[in-house]
Amino acid sequence: MTYVRACRLSELEEDTPKRVELDGTPVSIVQTEGEVFAIHDICSHANVSLSEGEVDDCHIECWLHGSRFDLRSGKPDALPATRPVPVYPVKIEGDDVLVSLTQES
Ligand code: FES
């Protein structure tokens, strides 16, 4: 599995998503509840950036219609979105947040 550096751990703020582009793929990096998650940054319902939404209870909420995606699985827990968004494996090495674009689910 190949990991690429996404950002520095020290630049992340709790519950504040950070949008990065990895090999042309938009990814939202989220530090919450003591863990760091990487989730595809486009809502599965429409072309909207999830990193502009709020984080709560290990979910990220789409600001446009309010579907909430589980940061662990990418699955939505409320309509109108019905399809999951990809989530990606994360590794922390020192101050580096590394992400593998291999899809987890
Ligand atoms: S665009 Fe995200 S829920 Fe509609």
Side-chain angles (χ1 to χ4, degrees):
M1 201 179 288
T2 305
Y3 283 84
V4 294
R5 186 180 179 281
C7 62
R8 287 185 298 147
L9 182 61
S10 55
E11 69 188 270
L12 294 177
E13 288 179 40
E14 183 82 4
D15 294 343
T16 303
K18 179 176 179 58
R19 180 185 168 110
V20 296
E21 293 248 343
L22 304 177
D23 294 338
T25 301
V27 177
S28 181
I29 309 293
V30 182
Q31 182 176 33
T32 187
E33 300 186 2
E35 280 192 69
V36 178
F37 299 93
I39 187 166
H40 193 67
D41 195 40
I42 304 296
C43 182
S44 63
H45 181 236
N47 190 14
V48 164
S49 178
L50 290 176
S51 59
E52 293 172 31
E54 300 208 337
V55 174
D56 184 43
D57 193 23
C58 223
H59 287 70
I60 189 165
E61 182 176 301
C62 178
W63 60 268
L64 190 56
H65 303 120
S67 287
R68 297 170 77 245
F69 296 88
D70 192 318
L71 289 165
R72 296 157 291 207
S73 67
K75 291 184 182 147
D77 72 348
L79 294 172
T82 55
R83 289 173 293 124
V85 294
V87 292
Y88 307 106
V90 173
K91 262 195 331 193
I92 307 297
E93 281 184 4
D95 193 35
D96 288 334
V97 177
L98 307 172
V99 173
S100 172
L101 290 182
T102 306
Q103 201 171 310
E104 239 182 20
S105 61

